[in-house]
Amino acid sequence: MSVRTNFQGKTNNEKFTFSSNIALTFSRRNQLEQETRTDINANVLQNPLQGLLTSLPYIDPNVYVSGQQLFNDFGAPSFQIIPYMLMDYLNPGNIPSRYDELRLLANTIGKYKITDNLSAQITTGVDYSQETRFFARAPWSYLAISSRQAGVEFGGIEQRANVKDLSFNNVVKLTYEKTFADKHHVEVSAYTEYLKYHRISDSYTQNGLDPKTWVFGAGTGYVPFNVATPTLYRPTIAASKNDAGLFAYFATASYDYNSKYGISGSIRRDAAYRFAEINKWEYFLVCWSKMEY
């Protein structure tokens, strides 16, 4: 689903013009575990695409209707029963995997003409995204049952990962532009730029799901951790945070004669978050020319 709007306007004297572009999108897709786990690409027992291509073509996966039934007959996974193991992926609730993404893109531009040759402009942009991935091996699936330790009552896992990204950019520009004698064109601009980026991510994995109360993505049916059995049903959590920023001010100048010969240059001074405080700022100088015949 997506919503997009574009807006433009100006004042009656046409000195001030403005525009905005806003896009909001939401997507949801069901996917295979292999799409986000490159470590199982070559694993014929967990990668259904690989298993489908290498398994015996005359065995029907639908022979077995439950993971418990398959485990009772064959026990641990093996290459010979790959076709039957595909039953987990053919039954939608056995190995569910869902990816949701919400994204907002917004950009605004405001320009004011101070005089015929001098103008000021502000450009602001925002890029925000929120991603959530759910994955589970249902407690009744064959992979969950076969990986369950001896004597353990509950198997299965559920994973959830969240990532939030925010990028903000703001540029202020002051420009002087003039043409002399219809052949000499001069343009000089001064800028300031501010860029800020934030990223927050967290994830957890729940080991042990109660088939009586577990519902995919609902946070129910989690078997509680027990200190008496510390290696069982122990959840795994992780989190990270990143902040980045950049500030710069710079100037550009160009001269053009009769649209054939020209020279341009720029000087820029930047401060980035990656550098130590004593070396926070640095200068950059660029110059180039053109000739057309």
Side-chain angles (χ1 to χ4, degrees):
M1 297 182 293
S2 63
V3 177
R4 182 183 295 273
T5 177
N6 299 320
F7 184 72
Q8 293 180 336
K10 61 182 178 180
T11 57
N12 291 332
N13 60 8
E14 299 188 358
K15 282 194 171 184
F16 180 66
T17 59
F18 53 92
S19 65
S20 67
N21 303 285
I22 301 174
L24 179 66
T25 62
F26 174 79
S27 63
R28 168 174 291 178
R29 66 187 179 101
N30 297 315
Q31 59 188 19
L32 295 174
E33 180 185 14
Q34 180 266 342
E35 291 187 54
T36 55
R37 285 193 57 190
T38 57
D39 59 308
I40 63 171
N41 280 342
N43 188 330
V44 296
L45 299 180
Q46 294 189 60
N47 182 352
L49 301 179
Q50 178 87 331
L52 179 65
L53 295 173
T54 58
S55 62
L56 301 176
Y58 51 82
I59 298 181
D60 183 7
N62 294 297
V63 170
Y64 289 89
V65 296
S66 73
Q68 188 64 57
Q69 181 187 4
L70 179 60
F71 181 76
N72 292 341
D73 288 353
F74 291 97
S78 65
F79 186 79
Q80 289 74 18
I81 65 170
I82 289 176
Y84 299 135
M85 292 175 59
L86 294 176
M87 166 203 65
D88 273 347
Y89 295 93
L90 295 176
N91 293 326
N94 282 19
I95 311 290
S97 183
R98 192 179 77 205
Y99 178 80
D100 294 347
E101 182 182 30
L102 176 68
R103 187 158 195 175
L104 172 67
L105 291 171
N107 183 65
T108 62
I109 301 176
K111 184 176 181 179
Y112 183 74
K113 197 171 184 181
I114 302 172
T115 67
D116 290 340
N117 306 111
L118 185 64
S119 62
Q121 178 177 303
I122 298 178
T123 303
T124 302
V126 175
D127 185 349
Y128 173 78
S129 65
Q130 180 175 314
E131 304 169 6
T132 304
R133 181 187 181 249
F134 300 90
F135 170 77
R137 290 180 186 169
W140 52 78
S141 67
Y142 172 73
L143 284 175
I145 294 172
S146 61
S147 61
R148 195 170 62 195
Q149 300 178 31
V152 177
E153 182 179 2
F154 299 104
I157 63 171
E158 180 169 285
Q159 299 174 336
R160 178 170 179 168
N162 301 288
V163 178
K164 296 180 180 179
D165 281 297
L166 174 63
S167 178
F168 174 81
N169 181 254
N170 187 73
V171 178
V172 179
K173 174 184 177 182
L174 185 65
T175 300
Y176 177 82
E177 185 177 10
K178 190 171 184 176
T179 301
F180 303 90
D182 296 329
K183 291 185 178 182
H184 305 274
H185 180 78
V186 176
E187 182 175 336
V188 180
S189 298
Y191 302 79
T192 63
E193 180 179 16
Y194 175 74
L195 174 65
K196 192 67 175 177
Y197 173 77
H198 301 280
R199 177 184 176 91
I200 297 177
S201 63
D202 60 79
S203 63
Y204 72 81
T205 300
Q206 168 61 31
N207 298 288
L209 306 174
D210 188 339
K212 296 180 181 179
T213 57
W214 177 73
V215 177
F216 177 59
T220 59
Y222 290 1
V223 179
F225 172 74
N226 190 338
V227 293
T229 54
T231 60
L232 302 179
Y233 314 134
R234 182 177 59 189
T236 303
I237 60 174
S240 65
K241 179 181 178 180
N242 299 95
D243 293 314
L246 179 146
F247 180 77
Y249 52 89
F250 54 101
T252 62
S254 65
Y255 167 75
D256 181 88
Y257 174 73
N258 202 26
S259 299
K260 289 186 177 182
Y261 312 102
I263 185 171
S264 302
S266 68
I267 184 170
R268 182 180 180 114
R269 181 170 165 83
D270 288 72
Y273 80 103
R274 294 184 180 274
F275 303 127
E277 196 65 36
I278 58 174
N279 294 316
K280 183 72 69 176
W281 293 89
E282 189 56 74
Y283 283 101
F284 301 90
L285 178 64
V286 178
C287 184
W288 62 95
S289 62
K290 74 169 185 176
M291 297 180 65
E292 296 182 5
Y293 301 95

